[in-house]
Amino acid sequence: MFCYGAQQLSGSFRTVRANTIQVAHDIPEHNYDHSPADGARTVRQMLTHVALSTRLWIDMHGGSSTDITTFDFPSYGRRMRDAEATSRTKTEILELLEKEGEAFAAFLGGLSDAQLSEQVLGNSAAGKVHKSRLEMLLSAKEHEMHHRAQLMLIERQLGIVPHLTRQMQARMEQMMAAQAKV
């Protein structure tokens, strides 16, 4: 019996995706072609990358294979670059984030404890390694949080206070006001 299973994984991914969608809402569309540095993805490309990247984990873990060492990452990478190069409006990107996020959350929620506990052979910098399917699927959430952190730094560059910072500031103000009443 898992203390952290498919429903928790699905729910936590939905939370991560909801925060990413809020960042996408907060950045004005006229800034979607902003790139923080030469050679870096634009906001538009990064949000598209985030939206579509969950397909990788579905493709790798949607079947019954417990060996992903032969997965065709170069081909997947080319398809991802082509998808990122497709011009989309802010509205289209928001819809893509919502649709792909919900599809992935539903996929995660449909996994059994037995599937999550399976040992899957994969590649690492140190060579071939076995990890539980759960650990491998958690990396999808980590991947999105990595890119969301980049997007939140871009928000700062654009003069936008990220929503999580605004929420924390509001909580602090409420606590200070409540403490002042005492």
Side-chain angles (χ1 to χ4, degrees):
M1 176 180 200
F2 277 135
C3 292
Y4 190 91
Q7 295 311 306
Q8 291 79 13
L9 184 58
S10 177
S12 67
F13 178 78
R14 281 187 174 101
T15 299
V16 168
R17 181 54 59 97
N19 283 312
T20 301
I21 289 170
Q22 185 60 56
V23 169
H25 273 291
D26 289 350
I27 298 174
E29 187 164 13
H30 69 269
N31 291 124
Y32 266 43
D33 291 318
H34 173 77
S35 174
D38 289 340
R41 288 179 171 108
T42 65
V43 169
R44 185 180 317 278
Q45 290 168 328
M46 194 176 311
L47 287 169
T48 301
H49 172 78
V50 166
L52 297 175
S53 65
T54 51
R55 293 178 182 177
L56 171 65
W57 284 273
I58 293 172
D59 289 349
M60 286 192 301
H61 298 283
S64 59
S65 177
T66 56
D67 181 353
I68 60 169
T69 59
T70 59
F71 187 82
D72 188 359
F73 287 100
S75 176
Y76 181 83
R78 285 189 295 277
R79 289 193 319 267
M80 180 62 83
R81 281 189 298 282
D82 290 346
E84 289 173 19
T86 300
S87 182
R88 291 176 175 84
T89 66
K90 178 177 179 173
T91 300
E92 290 170 329
I93 290 171
L94 287 165
E95 289 170 357
L96 192 63
L97 282 163
E98 290 174 14
K99 179 182 128 228
E100 294 290 334
E102 187 49 40
F104 187 60
F107 165 75
L108 293 173
L111 296 170
S112 68
D113 286 353
Q115 288 170 302
L116 290 173
S117 65
E118 286 178 320
Q119 292 295 302
V120 179
L121 181 64
N123 294 310
S124 75
K128 294 186 187 294
V129 62
H130 279 94
K131 292 183 181 182
S132 71
R133 194 174 303 280
L134 172 63
E135 183 178 0
M136 289 185 167
L137 288 167
L138 281 169
S139 67
K141 188 170 78 166
E142 293 168 3
H143 173 260
E144 182 151 340
M145 291 172 73
H146 163 80
H147 285 300
R148 193 177 73 235
Q150 292 173 324
L151 288 161
M152 291 171 78
L153 183 57
I154 290 170
E155 283 183 298
R156 291 291 191 172
Q157 290 177 329
L158 298 172
I160 301 165
V161 177
H163 75 284
L164 293 173
T165 302
R166 293 191 311 263
Q167 290 170 359
M168 188 253 329
Q169 290 170 338
R171 285 191 305 274
M172 293 300 290
E173 287 176 19
Q174 288 174 344
M175 289 187 333
M176 298 296 274
Q179 197 173 40
K181 290 181 182 179
V182 174

